Amino acid sequence: MIVLIDNGHGVDTPGKQSPDGRLREWAWTRAMARSIVDGLRETGIDARTLVPEEYDLPLLQRVNRVNALCRLHGAANVVLVSVHNNAAGADGCWHSARGFLPLVAPNASRASRRLASILYAGARSAGLSGNRAPLPAGYVEQNLYICRHTLCPAVLTENLFQDNRDDVDFLLSDEGRRAIRDLHINAIKEYFQM
Ligand SMILES: [Zn+2]
């Protein structure tokens, strides 16, 4: 099994930051991806960062990297999780929406949906599911390029809101980083039933 952890955007992506500039999505997600990968490796899982580069690797190239490994090892033996921070607006202002959200593509496999709902259950029990209505399915479907075009099970995680003050404080805290890292590691282990 190979677990690929993707990280959103790049140093050259405009916007995608907290209104006060303290959290930048590309940097937070890269540090988080490395931390998840390190934690998974400690448990013996072959985990790898998909985009070690700091710039915004185009989505087509991200998909090509994933699918090359799928062709080499079999799509059933590869899993992709793409790590992002959510945003309620693109107006540079603070907003009220909070919480963790797993997303799958409309054409998602049963395996993708299972991993997404494990992640959501973990978020709920860790108190990270935020202030919006609970998701009966445990995930939201969205037409995401990286999930739609990759051959393996794929989930995109929106890790709290970069335009909510409380979420940003939590995301930048040691406690918050640990909670989000552990959420991913535990869900991926449960997905593999380890
Ligand atoms: Zn993003």
Side-chain angles (χ1 to χ4, degrees):
M1 283 294 174
I2 299 171
V3 177
L4 298 172
I5 307 293
D6 181 41
N7 39 41
H9 320 287
V11 64
D12 50 336
T13 309
K16 305 282 185 192
Q17 63 178 43
S18 59
D20 59 8
R22 283 191 303 145
L23 183 147
R24 296 196 66 196
E25 185 177 352
W26 77 269
W28 190 93
T29 59
R30 271 165 182 68
M32 181 52 60
R34 275 194 302 273
S35 166
I36 294 167
V37 163
D38 289 347
L40 288 170
R41 283 186 178 167
E42 280 168 22
T43 73
I45 292 175
D46 181 355
R48 310 172 188 184
T49 51
L50 185 68
V51 182
E53 298 92 339
E54 295 209 330
Y55 64 85
D56 188 10
L57 190 74
L59 286 169
L60 174 63
Q61 289 181 46
R62 294 180 193 238
V63 165
N64 287 344
R65 283 185 186 178
V66 176
N67 287 346
L69 286 166
C70 290
R71 293 196 180 92
L72 199 59
H73 301 279
N77 297 315
V78 179
V79 174
L80 170 71
V81 178
S82 183
V83 174
H84 286 251
N85 302 122
N86 215 338
D91 51 5
C93 298
W94 296 107
H95 292 271
S96 62
R98 297 193 66 180
F100 175 89
L101 197 65
L103 307 172
V104 299
N107 67 347
S109 63
R110 195 178 287 230
S112 302
R113 291 168 198 270
R114 188 168 75 83
L115 176 56
S117 32
I118 294 170
L119 281 157
Y120 187 65
R124 289 197 76 177
S125 60
L128 300 174
S129 57
N131 56 4
R132 287 157 309 146
L135 306 171
Y139 50 80
V140 169
E141 279 185 22
Q142 213 176 85
N143 202 8
L144 304 159
Y145 187 93
I146 196 157
C147 293
R148 187 158 47 100
H149 292 286
T150 40
L151 302 169
C152 60
V155 176
L156 187 148
T157 61
E158 292 283 17
N159 293 281
L160 316 194
F161 281 80
Q162 60 194 295
D163 54 7
N164 177 281
R165 285 180 200 276
D166 294 325
D167 274 4
V168 168
D169 284 344
F170 186 71
L171 287 167
L172 294 174
S173 70
D174 289 345
E175 180 198 0
R177 290 181 205 273
R178 201 176 317 116
I180 301 286
R181 181 198 63 189
D182 291 351
L183 168 62
H184 285 80
I185 291 172
N186 293 334
I188 290 164
K189 282 165 62 183
E190 187 180 334
Y191 174 80
F192 292 134
Q193 285 157 349
M194 292 173 70

